[in-house]
Amino acid sequence: MGRAGIDAALRLALDESGRTADSGDVPVGAVVLDAAGEVVGTGHNGREAVGDPTAHAEILALRAAARRRGAWRLSGCTLAVTLEPCTMCAGALVQARVDRLVYGARDSKAGAAGSLWDVVRDPRLNHRPEVVPPDLVAPELADRCGAVLSEFFSVRRIR
């Protein structure tokens, strides 16, 4: 997947993040694309909406992709997400054998793809996806991913 495909995937994840608007969930969106670039799963944060602590965008997108493909092994797939995955989500994408992770904003408080931890590249694990961090995506996309989150939290802090 070239730069154009990576950026297109992150745009789709940004679109998906907007689906949290009425739920009170943190606006994080994720998409899973197969090797041909076809979307096979989408997800957006739903912890508040469904009362499930595991309803992170990445988990929901991985579940949808596995259902659609009829298999838990997502080899050949790319997971694009607007925010760096946490340890739970990083572990899930490793277990799903996702080939590539693309993310738009770093998470210095809970990121597990290089910011706080680096679960996805831990040499002790049996699978390590390629990681495409924010500095390798179009700057305007990385900036937008961060801005969506900043806007969400700035409104919450005022109240």
Side-chain angles (χ1 to χ4, degrees):
M1 178 178 284
R3 172 70 181 265
I6 287 169
D7 290 349
L10 199 51
R11 278 188 197 90
L12 292 171
L14 268 165
D15 290 345
E16 186 67 24
S17 74
R19 296 177 183 235
T20 65
D22 297 330
S23 69
D25 278 291
V26 177
V28 176
V31 296
V32 177
L33 296 98
D34 66 14
E38 181 182 340
V39 175
V40 292
T42 62
H44 54 275
N45 274 356
R47 293 186 314 171
E48 300 296 333
V50 298
D52 179 353
T54 68
H56 288 205
E58 301 95 322
I59 298 295
L60 299 176
L62 292 170
R63 287 176 182 164
R67 274 192 309 275
R68 178 150 180 206
R69 289 177 57 139
W72 64 266
R73 219 178 273 271
L74 299 178
S75 301
C77 289
T78 296
L79 172 68
V81 60
T82 56
L83 179 64
E84 181 180 359
C86 68
T87 54
M88 175 181 68
C89 296
L93 74 96
V94 167
Q95 291 300 314
R97 310 300 195 271
V98 169
D99 282 4
R100 180 180 302 107
L101 165 66
V102 176
Y103 67 96
R106 295 187 189 282
D107 186 348
S108 61
K109 294 180 180 179
S115 291
L116 186 57
W117 295 288
D118 204 350
V119 171
V120 295
R121 289 180 283 214
D122 190 317
R124 296 168 294 184
L125 298 176
N126 64 337
H127 179 74
R128 287 176 295 286
E130 172 190 354
V131 177
V132 180
D135 50 320
L136 295 180
V137 302
E140 64 274 9
L141 290 173
D143 290 347
R144 186 65 194 138
C145 287
V148 165
L149 293 161
S150 294
E151 291 164 13
F152 173 82
F153 287 112
S154 71
V155 169
R156 298 296 180 282
R157 286 187 195 108
I158 293 171
R159 293 181 185 173

